[in-house]
Amino acid sequence: MNPSENLKQIVEAALLASGKAMTLDKLLELFDEMEQPEKKELRAVLQELAEDYADRGIEVKEVASGWRIQVSRECAPWVSRLWEEKPGRYSRALMETLALIAYRQPITRGEIEDIRGVSVSSNIMRTLLEREWVRVVGQRDVPGKPSLYGTTREFLDYFGLKSLDELPTLAEIRDLDVINEELNLQEPDTDTAVAEEKKGEASQQEEAEGERRSLQAAPETPITEADANEKQA
């Protein structure tokens, strides 16, 4: 097989076999020095593949960590039934905590609690950190030096995003419960987690209303990764 004549097939096979996102540099490593294509050739081939896969059950998509072949969002609800055991969905409290970190980063746990009006359970922060969706990006220069949290590449990859610029504006987010349902977000349901979350809630209805008002008051345009890095510096 001639690499120059079959570049598209080679790249497609590599993405399928890899099972994860591949950067252009990683794809270039597949070729010997004498047969290595230019990066612009790779980009063109990847773009062709993305068009070839349009309107199919799987798609070629660029995310934060590179390019990958993935199940289309439209087909995800049916494909997810391949797994017999279906854990419970993420709680609203976790989703809103994650949303605040994504849109307001870098942000401290105390600032999240001030906006939400209730305490953030240790279980929620532990889950986000263990999932590697958020990470500590620095410390706020105030007494106590509280940790600043920001999102990660894993967060972008999981939600199929290339950058923070692709996040929907807050005006487009009408109901986090609906988003939770559409994205099929799942988390093991434990009695401990439920007990921790309920402990900090005096009234579920009052909390939901207060949280909704807080989110509506957030900036309309999500910050970019470059903005976050500047703030961290």
Side-chain angles (χ1 to χ4, degrees):
M1 177 179 284
N2 189 328
S4 61
E5 296 178 358
N6 299 278
L7 184 57
K8 184 193 289 190
Q9 291 93 325
I10 294 171
V11 171
E12 180 182 25
L15 293 178
L16 184 62
S18 174
K20 60 182 180 181
M22 296 185 71
T23 62
L24 294 180
D25 289 334
K26 198 68 177 176
L27 286 168
L28 285 174
E29 291 177 7
L30 301 174
F31 304 92
D32 294 332
E33 186 176 348
M34 297 298 294
E35 60 184 27
Q36 258 189 12
E38 297 288 333
K39 280 191 176 182
K40 63 180 181 180
E41 291 181 76
L42 275 182
R43 285 191 177 278
V45 162
L46 287 164
Q47 208 56 52
E48 284 182 34
L49 283 171
E51 294 171 4
D52 291 345
Y53 277 69
D55 301 321
R56 294 176 59 181
I58 54 179
E59 59 187 0
V60 174
K61 184 175 177 63
E62 185 178 12
V63 293
S65 297
W67 292 79
R68 70 185 181 190
I69 293 178
Q70 63 184 31
V71 175
S72 67
R73 180 171 295 182
E74 291 76 14
C75 295
W78 290 271
V79 176
S80 65
R81 293 171 188 167
L82 288 171
W83 292 271
E84 296 180 2
E85 191 173 334
K86 187 175 181 181
R89 293 177 298 166
Y90 283 117
S91 69
R92 183 184 182 90
L94 184 144
M95 284 297 297
E96 296 208 8
T97 299
L98 179 59
L100 283 170
I101 294 174
Y103 284 93
R104 290 286 191 90
Q105 62 184 300
I107 189 172
T108 67
R109 181 170 173 173
E111 289 166 343
I112 295 171
E113 292 175 339
D114 288 343
I115 294 172
R116 296 188 66 239
V118 293
S119 62
V120 177
S121 76
S122 297
N123 182 69
I124 285 177
M125 298 306 299
R126 183 168 58 250
T127 298
L128 293 175
L129 289 167
E130 288 177 351
R131 281 279 185 178
E132 297 185 343
W133 286 351
V134 304
R135 66 186 179 94
V136 176
V137 297
Q139 282 75 41
R140 181 76 73 197
D141 190 16
V142 296
K145 301 286 186 180
S147 296
L148 289 164
Y149 294 95
T151 53
T152 63
R153 283 186 178 273
E154 286 76 9
F155 163 79
L156 294 172
D157 287 349
Y158 186 88
F159 291 97
L161 304 172
K162 182 180 176 182
S163 70
L164 292 172
D165 291 326
E166 294 185 357
L167 283 169
T169 63
L170 290 177
E172 295 175 293
I173 299 179
R174 292 169 297 181
D175 194 328
L176 287 176
D177 290 333
V178 174
I179 295 175
N180 197 5
E181 180 76 30
E182 290 178 349
L183 294 179
N184 195 28
L185 299 176
Q186 299 179 341
E187 171 190 38
D189 186 16
T190 63
D191 293 336
T192 303
V194 173
E196 271 193 88
E197 289 178 20
K198 287 186 176 180
K199 186 176 180 180
E201 299 176 359
S203 168
Q204 188 174 5
Q205 291 183 346
E206 290 179 3
E207 177 194 351
E209 184 61 29
E211 292 164 353
R212 189 176 295 110
R213 288 198 299 269
S214 297
L215 282 174
Q216 289 173 346
E220 287 295 320
T221 304
I223 66 172
T224 64
E225 289 180 313
D227 292 335
N229 290 333
E230 290 178 4
K231 289 183 180 180
Q232 294 163 25

